[in-house]
Amino acid sequence: MEIDAWLWWLIGAAALGIALVVTAMPELAMLAVGAIAAAVVTGVFGGGAVAQVVVFAVISTAGIAVVRPIANRHRAQRPQFASGVDALKGRQAVVLERVDASGGRIKLAGEVWSARALDTDRAYEAGQEVDVVDIEGATAIIM
């Protein structure tokens, strides 16, 4: 029993789909779409081997050329809404107890936090407004 060419293309598309799930490489999805297009050309239109390969190459290349820039643009974007400790970085706080390199207390976003000065030679007195540079565990790093 001989397997038709269109079925081989569908088997190839399925294999590429499995590889896509395992590796999360969007390019494999475009190759799978190209393989499905080649299967259609073979099964529906009866295209020869050259037509199958040309359709596969053109559809796959076009898909990659369109999808890759979109994926790169989305990957480079920062999330619009920061949450958790990321939302606290860059905010202002008020010193409640003297803060130096050893520690102290600040009021940040309505909560009392332990804090440490970024500059080890600097100290901040109660009532001063400071900027939160980073959060390390449960300690705000200020300047």
Side-chain angles (χ1 to χ4, degrees):
M1 178 178 157
E2 188 175 321
I3 298 177
D4 292 332
W6 65 270
L7 191 54
W8 282 114
W9 283 110
L10 288 181
I11 292 169
L16 287 165
I18 291 168
L20 167 67
V21 170
V22 171
T23 64
M25 291 180 56
E27 293 84 2
L28 294 176
M30 299 303 104
L31 293 174
V33 169
I36 291 170
V40 169
V41 164
T42 306
V44 175
F45 301 112
V50 173
Q52 295 170 35
V53 172
V54 167
V55 166
F56 171 76
V58 168
I59 298 295
S60 297
T61 303
I64 290 171
V66 169
V67 170
R68 181 175 279 166
I70 294 170
N72 287 340
R73 191 168 39 247
H74 284 292
R75 190 178 303 133
Q77 288 179 344
R78 292 188 60 196
Q80 289 182 344
F81 300 106
S83 62
V85 293
D86 290 331
L88 299 175
K89 294 177 186 177
R91 298 209 32 198
Q92 285 196 328
V94 176
V95 176
L96 297 177
E97 297 174 8
R98 178 184 163 93
V99 178
D100 56 20
S102 302
R105 297 249 182 252
I106 61 170
K107 188 164 192 168
L108 171 62
E111 297 178 345
V112 177
W113 281 73
S114 61
R116 190 174 79 241
L118 177 65
D119 183 1
T120 56
D121 297 330
R122 184 105 192 256
Y124 302 91
E125 299 302 328
Q128 266 186 289
E129 286 193 2
V130 293
D131 293 319
V132 176
V133 178
D134 197 9
I135 305 285
E136 291 180 358
T139 303
I141 310 302
I142 63 167
M143 65 180 292

